[in-house]
Amino acid sequence: MLTNKIAPSILAADYANFETELKKIEASGSEYVHLDIMDGHFVPNISFGADVVASMRPHSKLIFDCHLMVANPENHIDNFVRAGADIMTIHVESSQHIHGALQKIRAAGVKAGVVLNPGTPVSSIAHILELVDQVLVMTVNPGFGGQAFIPEMLEKIKEIVVLRAAKGLSFDIEVDGGIDDKTIALAKAAGANVFVAGSYVFKGNVAERVATLREVLNG
Ligand code: DX5
Ligand code: ZN
């Protein structure tokens, strides 16, 4: 049975106070912290890299859900394993060798995830699903927080649910982008069970916002 998990994205937090922000996320009862890694190449923006993740690691027991928006992610897997990633999710569009890259993540003892940009079809991951613990459906174009949820992605989530059942698999389905107290209900109804939220959580009181999301999920 897949359980619902909330993953506040630290992209929307105060970068000068990661330790405090991590404590707030932990106190909110969130299962994950979502760490957005952007290289200024695969996506136009630059965020932070493995050294910053490593420096956060001693300050939190949260599951580190690392979303790599980087070109050729296979070149960075070792660094993020050493940094303490618990889940490493890479874009199908970012690697010429997605199958090998996912194998490498799992061989390192880290949970492997694959991400689809809004324009990328489900068929692009049909033959690698046995290798993943999580499929992330982008519900905005990656690179920036604070964008509007793209409702057409709900169909994509439903398609993945059907494919997962057909293959007898049990990976999590995560959504990322524009998740708030309204869109989380739509994503859950479509079949997602891991919910990333950046600006919604950090533009208010973290504990209160996460509690509201949880109420909607339990509602
Ligand atoms: C976007 C990132 C997201 C981002 C979501 O490229 O992958 O994780 O933090 O931010 P919101 O929740 O503000 O859309
Ligand atoms: Zn993300």
Side-chain angles (χ1 to χ4, degrees), residues 9 11 34-36 38 67 69 136 138 176 196:
S9 168
L11 187 68
H34 184 80
L35 302 170
D36 285 305
M38 303 179 179
H67 174 193
M69 288 162 273
L136 169 51
M138 288 308 301
D176 184 8
V196 177

Side-chain angles (χ1 to χ4, degrees), residues 20 34 48 71 91 96 108 142 145 157 170 175 188 195 214 216:
T20 317
H34 184 80
F48 51 85
H91 277 259
Q96 309 256 29
I157 297 167
S170 59
V175 281
K188 184 196 168 199
F195 306 90
R214 188 81 66 190
V216 176

Side-chain angles (χ1 to χ4, degrees), residues 80-137:
F80 283 93
V81 170
R82 274 195 292 273
D86 296 294
I87 306 170
M88 214 183 302
T89 301
I90 59 176
H91 277 259
V92 68
E93 310 87 0
S94 69
S95 176
Q96 309 256 29
H97 303 286
I98 191 75
H99 186 280
L102 291 166
Q103 279 182 321
K104 186 171 177 185
I105 294 170
R106 274 198 163 169
V110 170
K111 289 198 168 157
V114 69
V115 199
L116 296 173
N117 277 335
T120 306
V122 173
S123 58
S124 65
I125 56 168
H127 302 286
I128 46 124
L129 289 174
E130 286 79 3
L131 285 173
V132 304
D133 301 287
Q134 168 167 288
V135 172
L136 169 51
V137 176

